[in-house]
Amino acid sequence: MLDHLIKGVTVIDGSGGPAFVADVGIRDGRIAVIGQVSEEARTSEDAAGLVLAPGFVDPHTHYDAQLFWDPYATPSLNHGVTTVAGGNCGFTLAPLNPARPEDADYTRRMMSKVEGMSLVALEEGAPWSWHSFGEYLDALEGRIAVNAGFMVGHCALRRYVMGPEAVGGQPTGEQLAQMLTLFHEAMEAGAWGLSTTQSSTHSDGDGKPVASRHAKPAELLALSQAVGDHEGTQIEAIVAGCLDQFSDDEIDLFVEMSAAAGRPLNWNVLTIDSSVPERVPRQLAASERARKAGGRIVALTMPILTPMNMSLGTFCALNLIPGWGEVLGLPVPERIAKLRDPVVRSEMLRRADSKEAGVFRRLADFGRYVIGDTYSAENEGLTGRVVRDIAAERGEEPFQCIIEICANDRMRTVLWPMPTDNDPDSWTLRQETWRHEDVLLGGSDAGAHLDRMCGAPYTTRFIGDCVRGRKLVTLEQAVKMLTDDPARLFGLRERGRIEEGFHADLVLFDPERIDAGKATLVHDLPGDSPRLDSKAIGITAVWVNGVEAIRGDVVSGAVPGKVLRSGRDTRTVSTK
């Protein structure tokens, strides 16, 4: 007897092949039968007119902490995501050295700063009961509703072995050997491989460059070589050039790391903008070089324009513009005084529009910002208005206008920059770039930057916008890009397609309605901390390992997800 039968549904199996109508039966967590099914089932439903696809796979998340207080990884699960990859960008909650209990506090403060997680939620929402990476994975086992696999963060490896000297120091030969031993143990316990960052935007809770940014190429190559000693592993890495264009040295480093491991290396995020036509070919040159050297480099790119709210009062992307952090990090009264100084403003604008600002130059057109929430009588009626229009009425420059509005709110004003890359040429360039064999959809950062952005719904918004709306790809292509493509990159065993014998990770949706709702601020984290959320539209149900986890955008209460461990749940994707 089947556990559940979905009758008369349009199946898009993830292979890229044409859709077909069939019955799909689930038994013991797997897809038992596809076709005309007469076998009895404990439960069944008529799904005529709906589409059944494999569960979506998000290749870049930061759910490492959130899964402890939110086993459903919302809102990703609501939007059809059944498998998430965590432990990215060099940042993980494990391992922690038992001889230094203070390392847990350092890690929490670092994650709060660099990944925009609520410090209160990190302190109150996770047990922090582990030391080894394997103990961290064990702490999640049996209590999550999505499937989750995790890389090992280079910063945690360095901190465990080197302590505070991990920031600014170089390991001795003995310390590097200890780091490698610790790393091997993590992969033996099921870690997916190495994640590391050398990005200039990544600083810890003390404002110092995070630990992995101090690593020399020899250390990175030694860790990369260790990745190749284990089944089903790979590398995720970030360098400064990921945000704009790689330097020759960065390309050399990526190529050598991937070739040393004999494993794919993925990075994020490839920003596609027709006003910078040289960026895509430059970034993908790394992939071409890697293939010639026996490696593989995969670029993640978001298929939607992810709305991000900004503020002059809290840490956000504006702080990452060169020279801006020093001003925006001042106490509020001093910050307002500095920002009102025409000389300071002029220098900030110059640096925001300079080459050194890289991709953050996109944030420098302040006339295109929209005013969000306001908090003072002086700003009443400004919500939803474009800064350029307000500035023209007041006879002010747009940046000066924004500063005065924010000063009225004591810097609490929410600012929404309108994207600069929403033109037809940029969408045509995206359509072309998605066809590249080393480009993968993803980069949501789900679980991070919680009150600043909401990338988790990219799956449903992509289908609603780029398939049904812009018609850039077919629905069959879109499903493959969200399921089988990332599953194959990670070497996921029996996931990513609707095939008999595969794990029953499934999403049932209405192709005429599927989309994502507007991002709204909610206060549902531990400590009543805020985050942006987005409702799923047109998703009927989501199954994880054959168990219904979502029905009508409401979680079922079941926790059928599995901690996916390298080797057991992933197979090697070799570059050799």
Side-chain angles (χ1 to χ4, degrees):
M1 178 178 285
L2 298 170
D3 295 324
H4 187 66
L5 180 61
I6 305 166
K7 297 185 291 186
V9 72
T10 299
V11 177
I12 299 182
D13 64 11
S15 69
F20 58 93
V21 176
D23 304 331
V24 177
I26 301 169
R27 181 169 46 235
D28 297 331
R30 294 189 181 250
I31 299 164
V33 59
I34 303 169
Q36 285 189 316
V37 179
S38 57
E39 187 175 352
E40 291 187 10
R42 291 182 176 86
T43 57
S44 65
E45 62 187 297
D46 184 351
L50 300 179
V51 166
L52 187 69
F56 305 140
V57 179
D58 188 335
H60 189 102
T61 79
H62 291 277
Y63 279 126
D64 308 54
Q66 183 176 325
L67 284 170
F68 285 104
W69 64 77
D70 173 19
Y72 311 104
T74 61
S76 290
L77 181 62
N78 305 67
H79 293 269
V81 173
T82 57
T83 298
V84 300
N88 287 294
C89 299
F91 308 122
T92 48
L93 310 187
L96 296 172
N97 194 320
R100 287 192 306 273
E102 65 273 17
D103 282 5
D105 179 63
Y106 172 85
T107 300
R108 288 189 289 266
R109 290 189 299 109
M110 178 183 72
M111 297 298 274
S112 176
K113 175 68 176 292
V114 79
E115 292 298 345
M117 298 177 181
S118 161
L119 183 57
V120 174
L122 287 166
E123 291 172 339
E124 298 181 3
W128 298 92
S129 55
W130 54 81
H131 293 118
S132 72
F133 198 85
E135 288 170 345
Y136 165 77
L137 296 181
D138 291 344
L140 287 170
E141 197 76 69
R143 56 174 296 165
I144 56 177
V146 294
N147 304 308
F150 299 90
M151 314 292 282
V152 185
H154 190 181
C155 290
L157 292 173
R158 265 190 152 237
R159 181 81 185 190
Y160 188 105
V161 173
M162 300 174 65
E165 295 301 312
V167 173
Q170 295 302 314
T172 64
E174 182 180 352
Q175 287 176 323
L176 181 56
Q178 291 174 349
M179 210 182 301
L180 289 167
T181 297
L182 192 65
F183 185 34
H184 283 298
E185 290 173 354
M187 288 186 286
E188 287 166 4
W192 280 16
L194 176 72
S195 77
T196 187
T197 179
Q198 299 227 318
S199 174
S200 56
T201 64
H202 287 154
S203 300
D204 66 13
D206 301 318
K208 299 177 181 177
V210 296
S212 65
R213 284 178 60 185
H214 303 276
K216 303 295 186 186
E219 179 182 333
L220 290 163
L221 291 175
L223 289 165
S224 298
Q225 192 167 6
V227 170
D229 292 340
H230 297 267
E231 171 77 8
T233 52
Q234 56 186 265
I235 301 172
E236 185 267 348
I238 310 291
V239 293
C242 291
L243 291 173
D244 190 15
Q245 294 178 56
F246 293 134
S247 68
D248 289 339
D249 287 345
E250 289 172 335
I251 292 177
D252 288 343
L253 178 63
F254 272 12
V255 169
E256 290 171 14
M257 288 173 67
S258 178
R263 299 285 191 275
L265 179 154
N266 76 80
W267 64 273
N268 91 105
V269 60
L270 175 59
T271 303
I272 301 172
D273 187 339
S274 65
S275 68
V276 192
E278 68 273 16
R279 180 183 292 135
V280 169
R282 174 61 178 176
Q283 299 304 73
L284 296 183
S287 299
E288 294 159 13
R289 289 255 314 270
R291 287 190 176 274
K292 293 176 183 176
R296 186 184 179 201
I297 295 173
V298 176
L300 303 189
T301 190
M302 284 291 276
I304 65 167
L305 303 179
T306 304
M308 293 199 302
N309 70 30
M310 302 290 177
S311 168
L312 296 180
T314 57
F315 188 87
C316 67
L318 292 170
N319 296 65
L320 303 178
I321 298 173
W324 281 51
E326 292 89 332
V327 177
L328 298 183
L330 293 169
V332 169
E334 297 175 43
R335 194 181 319 166
I336 292 173
K338 279 281 190 185
L339 289 169
R340 279 177 164 161
D341 184 332
V343 176
V344 172
R345 285 203 308 273
S346 178
E347 176 62 11
M348 291 176 73
L349 287 173
R350 184 193 70 78
R351 297 195 71 177
D353 199 37
S354 68
K355 184 172 178 58
E356 65 175 336
V359 75
F360 296 111
R361 289 193 301 271
R362 290 148 49 95
L363 302 177
D365 188 354
F366 293 99
R368 292 176 58 86
Y369 279 59
V370 174
I371 301 298
D373 295 340
T374 62
Y375 300 89
S376 63
E378 295 92 330
N379 289 339
E380 189 172 341
L382 295 184
T383 296
R385 295 198 61 194
V386 179
V387 169
R388 182 184 293 109
D389 298 337
I390 303 170
E393 291 171 4
R394 297 181 177 184
E396 298 173 337
E397 292 298 318
F399 188 40
Q400 178 190 6
C401 179
I402 279 182
I403 288 167
E404 292 306 321
I405 292 170
C406 293
N408 289 336
D409 287 336
R410 307 298 294 170
M411 301 281 106
R412 296 174 63 201
T413 318
V414 173
L415 307 170
W416 292 92
M418 288 192 288
T420 60
D421 51 354
N422 197 23
D423 58 297
D425 287 346
S426 290
W427 284 107
T428 298
L429 183 56
R430 288 189 184 95
Q431 183 183 35
E432 295 169 356
T433 305
W434 295 340
R435 298 191 189 109
H436 193 284
E437 60 184 338
D438 291 319
V439 172
L440 183 73
L441 300 191
S444 73
D445 262 359
H449 313 294
L450 297 175
D451 63 343
R452 302 285 94 189
M453 60 175 278
C454 189
Y458 78 95
T459 51
T460 52
R461 184 165 285 130
F462 169 55
I463 295 175
D465 181 32
C466 297
V467 178
R468 195 174 63 242
R470 301 177 193 274
K471 296 180 171 57
L472 300 181
V473 294
T474 67
L475 186 54
E476 288 87 347
Q477 290 170 329
V479 167
K480 181 177 184 292
M481 294 159 81
L482 296 172
T483 59
D484 193 55
D485 286 353
R488 297 290 73 76
L489 174 68
F490 293 128
L492 299 182
R493 296 182 186 270
E494 291 87 46
R495 298 186 193 275
R497 290 194 186 187
I498 297 179
E499 286 188 20
E500 292 182 3
F502 271 47
H503 298 280
D505 297 336
L506 302 166
V507 55
L508 182 66
F509 63 87
D510 182 346
E512 299 302 319
R513 295 182 58 242
I514 185 170
D515 210 331
K518 181 181 177 182
T520 57
L521 199 65
V522 297
H523 291 259
D524 63 356
L525 300 180
D528 201 35
S529 300
R531 67 166 176 153
L532 287 170
D533 191 18
S534 170
K535 297 295 184 185
I537 299 169
I539 296 285
T540 301
V542 180
W543 290 265
V544 179
N545 297 309
V547 177
E548 186 176 291
I550 291 276
R551 172 73 62 170
D553 208 33
V554 177
V555 298
S556 69
V559 285
K562 294 181 179 177
V563 174
L564 301 180
R565 302 185 189 239
S566 59
R568 185 192 70 184
D569 300 300
T570 63
R571 60 171 56 87
T572 294
V573 179
S574 178
T575 63
K576 305 296 187 183

PDB file of all heavy atoms in Angstrom, residues 1-7 24-27 33 37-45:
ATOM      1  N   MET A   1       0.842  -1.198   0.000  1.00  0.00           N
ATOM      2  CA  MET A   1       0.000   0.000   0.000  1.00  0.00           C
ATOM      3  C   MET A   1       0.877   1.249   0.000  1.00  0.00           C
ATOM      4  O   MET A   1       1.901   1.313   0.687  1.00  0.00           O
ATOM      5  CB  MET A   1      -0.935   0.028   1.227  1.00  0.00           C
ATOM      6  CG  MET A   1      -1.789   1.270   1.307  1.00  0.00           C
ATOM      7  SD  MET A   1      -2.921   1.291   2.699  1.00  0.00           S
ATOM      8  CE  MET A   1      -4.166   0.126   2.106  1.00  0.00           C
ATOM      9  N   LEU A   2       0.460   2.236  -0.800  1.00  0.00           N
ATOM     10  CA  LEU A   2       1.178   3.499  -0.856  1.00  0.00           C
ATOM     11  C   LEU A   2       0.831   4.354   0.362  1.00  0.00           C
ATOM     12  O   LEU A   2      -0.262   4.257   0.924  1.00  0.00           O
ATOM     13  CB  LEU A   2       0.805   4.256  -2.124  1.00  0.00           C
ATOM     14  CG  LEU A   2       1.151   3.588  -3.460  1.00  0.00           C
ATOM     15  CD1 LEU A   2       0.507   4.347  -4.613  1.00  0.00           C
ATOM     16  CD2 LEU A   2       2.661   3.526  -3.648  1.00  0.00           C
ATOM     17  N   ASP A   3       1.748   5.212   0.746  1.00  0.00           N
ATOM     18  CA  ASP A   3       1.455   6.154   1.823  1.00  0.00           C
ATOM     19  C   ASP A   3       0.598   7.306   1.317  1.00  0.00           C
ATOM     20  O   ASP A   3      -0.304   7.769   2.007  1.00  0.00           O
ATOM     21  CB  ASP A   3       2.759   6.715   2.411  1.00  0.00           C
ATOM     22  CG  ASP A   3       3.581   5.634   3.085  1.00  0.00           C
ATOM     23  OD1 ASP A   3       2.984   4.725   3.689  1.00  0.00           O
ATOM     24  OD2 ASP A   3       4.828   5.692   3.002  1.00  0.00           O
ATOM     25  N   HIS A   4       0.904   7.763   0.096  1.00  0.00           N
ATOM     26  CA  HIS A   4       0.139   8.876  -0.472  1.00  0.00           C
ATOM     27  C   HIS A   4       0.183   8.774  -1.986  1.00  0.00           C
ATOM     28  O   HIS A   4       1.198   8.389  -2.569  1.00  0.00           O
ATOM     29  CB  HIS A   4       0.716  10.227  -0.021  1.00  0.00           C
ATOM     30  CG  HIS A   4      -0.122  11.402  -0.435  1.00  0.00           C
ATOM     31  ND1 HIS A   4      -1.389  11.621   0.067  1.00  0.00           N
ATOM     32  CD2 HIS A   4       0.118  12.426  -1.317  1.00  0.00           C
ATOM     33  CE1 HIS A   4      -1.891  12.725  -0.473  1.00  0.00           C
ATOM     34  NE2 HIS A   4      -1.003  13.222  -1.316  1.00  0.00           N
ATOM     35  N   LEU A   5      -0.915   9.155  -2.628  1.00  0.00           N
ATOM     36  CA  LEU A   5      -1.014   9.107  -4.085  1.00  0.00           C
ATOM     37  C   LEU A   5      -1.470  10.469  -4.595  1.00  0.00           C
ATOM     38  O   LEU A   5      -2.493  11.002  -4.154  1.00  0.00           O
ATOM     39  CB  LEU A   5      -2.003   8.024  -4.525  1.00  0.00           C
ATOM     40  CG  LEU A   5      -2.217   7.869  -6.040  1.00  0.00           C
ATOM     41  CD1 LEU A   5      -0.921   7.496  -6.735  1.00  0.00           C
ATOM     42  CD2 LEU A   5      -3.311   6.832  -6.318  1.00  0.00           C
ATOM     43  N   ILE A   6      -0.703  11.032  -5.519  1.00  0.00           N
ATOM     44  CA  ILE A   6      -1.042  12.304  -6.157  1.00  0.00           C
ATOM     45  C   ILE A   6      -1.524  11.957  -7.564  1.00  0.00           C
ATOM     46  O   ILE A   6      -0.748  11.468  -8.393  1.00  0.00           O
ATOM     47  CB  ILE A   6       0.180  13.235  -6.199  1.00  0.00           C
ATOM     48  CG1 ILE A   6       0.750  13.425  -4.786  1.00  0.00           C
ATOM     49  CG2 ILE A   6      -0.188  14.585  -6.812  1.00  0.00           C
ATOM     50  CD1 ILE A   6       2.125  14.038  -4.761  1.00  0.00           C
ATOM     51  N   LYS A   7      -2.804  12.206  -7.851  1.00  0.00           N
ATOM     52  CA  LYS A   7      -3.427  11.703  -9.070  1.00  0.00           C
ATOM     53  C   LYS A   7      -3.579  12.795 -10.132  1.00  0.00           C
ATOM     54  O   LYS A   7      -3.909  13.934  -9.824  1.00  0.00           O
ATOM     55  CB  LYS A   7      -4.806  11.122  -8.738  1.00  0.00           C
ATOM     56  CG  LYS A   7      -4.760   9.921  -7.791  1.00  0.00           C
ATOM     57  CD  LYS A   7      -6.125   9.304  -7.588  1.00  0.00           C
ATOM     58  CE  LYS A   7      -7.042  10.229  -6.797  1.00  0.00           C
ATOM     59  NZ  LYS A   7      -8.338   9.581  -6.461  1.00  0.00           N
ATOM     60  N   VAL A  24       1.484   9.850  -9.168  1.00  0.00           N
ATOM     61  CA  VAL A  24       2.758   9.655  -8.482  1.00  0.00           C
ATOM     62  C   VAL A  24       2.469   9.121  -7.080  1.00  0.00           C
ATOM     63  O   VAL A  24       1.764   9.765  -6.296  1.00  0.00           O
ATOM     64  CB  VAL A  24       3.573  10.959  -8.396  1.00  0.00           C
ATOM     65  CG1 VAL A  24       4.866  10.737  -7.621  1.00  0.00           C
ATOM     66  CG2 VAL A  24       3.880  11.491  -9.797  1.00  0.00           C
ATOM     67  N   GLY A  25       3.026   7.953  -6.800  1.00  0.00           N
ATOM     68  CA  GLY A  25       2.811   7.322  -5.507  1.00  0.00           C
ATOM     69  C   GLY A  25       4.046   7.380  -4.627  1.00  0.00           C
ATOM     70  O   GLY A  25       5.165   7.167  -5.101  1.00  0.00           O
ATOM     71  N   ILE A  26       3.827   7.647  -3.339  1.00  0.00           N
ATOM     72  CA  ILE A  26       4.915   7.751  -2.351  1.00  0.00           C
ATOM     73  C   ILE A  26       4.794   6.615  -1.356  1.00  0.00           C
ATOM     74  O   ILE A  26       3.696   6.304  -0.863  1.00  0.00           O
ATOM     75  CB  ILE A  26       4.831   9.105  -1.607  1.00  0.00           C
ATOM     76  CG1 ILE A  26       4.919  10.286  -2.575  1.00  0.00           C
ATOM     77  CG2 ILE A  26       5.901   9.204  -0.529  1.00  0.00           C
ATOM     78  CD1 ILE A  26       4.579  11.619  -1.941  1.00  0.00           C
ATOM     79  N   ARG A  27       5.951   5.981  -1.047  1.00  0.00           N
ATOM     80  CA  ARG A  27       5.971   4.943  -0.008  1.00  0.00           C
ATOM     81  C   ARG A  27       7.333   4.962   0.680  1.00  0.00           C
ATOM     82  O   ARG A  27       8.376   5.022   0.019  1.00  0.00           O
ATOM     83  CB  ARG A  27       5.697   3.572  -0.611  1.00  0.00           C
ATOM     84  CG  ARG A  27       5.673   2.445   0.449  1.00  0.00           C
ATOM     85  CD  ARG A  27       5.143   1.115  -0.096  1.00  0.00           C
ATOM     86  NE  ARG A  27       5.723   0.765  -1.370  1.00  0.00           N
ATOM     87  CZ  ARG A  27       5.021   0.497  -2.471  1.00  0.00           C
ATOM     88  NH1 ARG A  27       3.702   0.551  -2.448  1.00  0.00           N
ATOM     89  NH2 ARG A  27       5.631   0.178  -3.593  1.00  0.00           N
ATOM     90  N   VAL A  33       6.138   4.895  -7.437  1.00  0.00           N
ATOM     91  CA  VAL A  33       5.596   4.567  -8.751  1.00  0.00           C
ATOM     92  C   VAL A  33       5.170   5.847  -9.459  1.00  0.00           C
ATOM     93  O   VAL A  33       4.687   6.793  -8.838  1.00  0.00           O
ATOM     94  CB  VAL A  33       4.403   3.587  -8.618  1.00  0.00           C
ATOM     95  CG1 VAL A  33       3.286   4.184  -7.774  1.00  0.00           C
ATOM     96  CG2 VAL A  33       3.881   3.141  -9.974  1.00  0.00           C
ATOM     97  N   VAL A  37      -1.699   4.583 -11.798  1.00  0.00           N
ATOM     98  CA  VAL A  37      -1.540   3.816 -10.566  1.00  0.00           C
ATOM     99  C   VAL A  37      -2.902   3.341 -10.074  1.00  0.00           C
ATOM    100  O   VAL A  37      -3.820   4.142  -9.879  1.00  0.00           O
ATOM    101  CB  VAL A  37      -0.848   4.668  -9.474  1.00  0.00           C
ATOM    102  CG1 VAL A  37      -0.698   3.865  -8.193  1.00  0.00           C
ATOM    103  CG2 VAL A  37       0.514   5.157  -9.966  1.00  0.00           C
ATOM    104  N   SER A  38      -2.995   2.048  -9.873  1.00  0.00           N
ATOM    105  CA  SER A  38      -4.242   1.469  -9.339  1.00  0.00           C
ATOM    106  C   SER A  38      -4.067   0.996  -7.901  1.00  0.00           C
ATOM    107  O   SER A  38      -5.040   0.645  -7.233  1.00  0.00           O
ATOM    108  CB  SER A  38      -4.693   0.294 -10.213  1.00  0.00           C
ATOM    109  OG  SER A  38      -3.666  -0.691 -10.294  1.00  0.00           O
ATOM    110  N   GLU A  39      -2.820   0.984  -7.413  1.00  0.00           N
ATOM    111  CA  GLU A  39      -2.540   0.521  -6.057  1.00  0.00           C
ATOM    112  C   GLU A  39      -3.228   1.420  -5.029  1.00  0.00           C
ATOM    113  O   GLU A  39      -3.313   2.635  -5.198  1.00  0.00           O
ATOM    114  CB  GLU A  39      -1.023   0.516  -5.821  1.00  0.00           C
ATOM    115  CG  GLU A  39      -0.605  -0.106  -4.499  1.00  0.00           C
ATOM    116  CD  GLU A  39       0.920  -0.191  -4.373  1.00  0.00           C
ATOM    117  OE1 GLU A  39       1.615   0.098  -5.380  1.00  0.00           O
ATOM    118  OE2 GLU A  39       1.403  -0.532  -3.290  1.00  0.00           O
ATOM    119  N   GLU A  40      -3.705   0.809  -3.963  1.00  0.00           N
ATOM    120  CA  GLU A  40      -4.371   1.575  -2.911  1.00  0.00           C
ATOM    121  C   GLU A  40      -3.359   2.430  -2.151  1.00  0.00           C
ATOM    122  O   GLU A  40      -2.178   2.105  -2.068  1.00  0.00           O
ATOM    123  CB  GLU A  40      -5.094   0.634  -1.936  1.00  0.00           C
ATOM    124  CG  GLU A  40      -6.302  -0.058  -2.533  1.00  0.00           C
ATOM    125  CD  GLU A  40      -7.084  -0.834  -1.483  1.00  0.00           C
ATOM    126  OE1 GLU A  40      -6.777  -0.664  -0.274  1.00  0.00           O
ATOM    127  OE2 GLU A  40      -7.971  -1.600  -1.860  1.00  0.00           O
ATOM    128  N   ALA A  41      -3.870   3.530  -1.599  1.00  0.00           N
ATOM    129  CA  ALA A  41      -3.036   4.436  -0.820  1.00  0.00           C
ATOM    130  C   ALA A  41      -3.776   4.865   0.437  1.00  0.00           C
ATOM    131  O   ALA A  41      -5.007   4.973   0.441  1.00  0.00           O
ATOM    132  CB  ALA A  41      -2.662   5.658  -1.652  1.00  0.00           C
ATOM    133  N   ARG A  42      -3.017   5.106   1.490  1.00  0.00           N
ATOM    134  CA  ARG A  42      -3.631   5.555   2.742  1.00  0.00           C
ATOM    135  C   ARG A  42      -4.303   6.913   2.574  1.00  0.00           C
ATOM    136  O   ARG A  42      -5.367   7.155   3.128  1.00  0.00           O
ATOM    137  CB  ARG A  42      -2.573   5.629   3.847  1.00  0.00           C
ATOM    138  CG  ARG A  42      -2.051   4.266   4.285  1.00  0.00           C
ATOM    139  CD  ARG A  42      -1.035   4.375   5.414  1.00  0.00           C
ATOM    140  NE  ARG A  42      -0.625   3.051   5.887  1.00  0.00           N
ATOM    141  CZ  ARG A  42       0.349   2.354   5.331  1.00  0.00           C
ATOM    142  NH1 ARG A  42       1.030   2.856   4.303  1.00  0.00           N
ATOM    143  NH2 ARG A  42       0.651   1.157   5.784  1.00  0.00           N
ATOM    144  N   THR A  43      -3.670   7.789   1.809  1.00  0.00           N
ATOM    145  CA  THR A  43      -4.269   9.083   1.490  1.00  0.00           C
ATOM    146  C   THR A  43      -4.004   9.372   0.021  1.00  0.00           C
ATOM    147  O   THR A  43      -3.042   8.868  -0.567  1.00  0.00           O
ATOM    148  CB  THR A  43      -3.678  10.224   2.340  1.00  0.00           C
ATOM    149  OG1 THR A  43      -2.260  10.270   2.152  1.00  0.00           O
ATOM    150  CG2 THR A  43      -3.980  10.029   3.826  1.00  0.00           C
ATOM    151  N   SER A  44      -4.872  10.203  -0.567  1.00  0.00           N
ATOM    152  CA  SER A  44      -4.683  10.564  -1.972  1.00  0.00           C
ATOM    153  C   SER A  44      -5.295  11.926  -2.222  1.00  0.00           C
ATOM    154  O   SER A  44      -6.079  12.441  -1.418  1.00  0.00           O
ATOM    155  CB  SER A  44      -5.310   9.519  -2.895  1.00  0.00           C
ATOM    156  OG  SER A  44      -6.723   9.501  -2.728  1.00  0.00           O
ATOM    157  N   GLU A  45      -4.915  12.524  -3.364  1.00  0.00           N
ATOM    158  CA  GLU A  45      -5.503  13.803  -3.752  1.00  0.00           C
ATOM    159  C   GLU A  45      -5.512  13.905  -5.268  1.00  0.00           C
ATOM    160  O   GLU A  45      -4.649  13.365  -5.958  1.00  0.00           O
ATOM    161  CB  GLU A  45      -4.736  14.973  -3.147  1.00  0.00           C
ATOM    162  CG  GLU A  45      -3.277  15.096  -3.572  1.00  0.00           C
ATOM    163  CD  GLU A  45      -2.560  16.190  -2.790  1.00  0.00           C
ATOM    164  OE1 GLU A  45      -2.958  17.370  -2.914  1.00  0.00           O
ATOM    165  OE2 GLU A  45      -1.598  15.858  -2.053  1.00  0.00           O
TER     166      GLU A  45
END
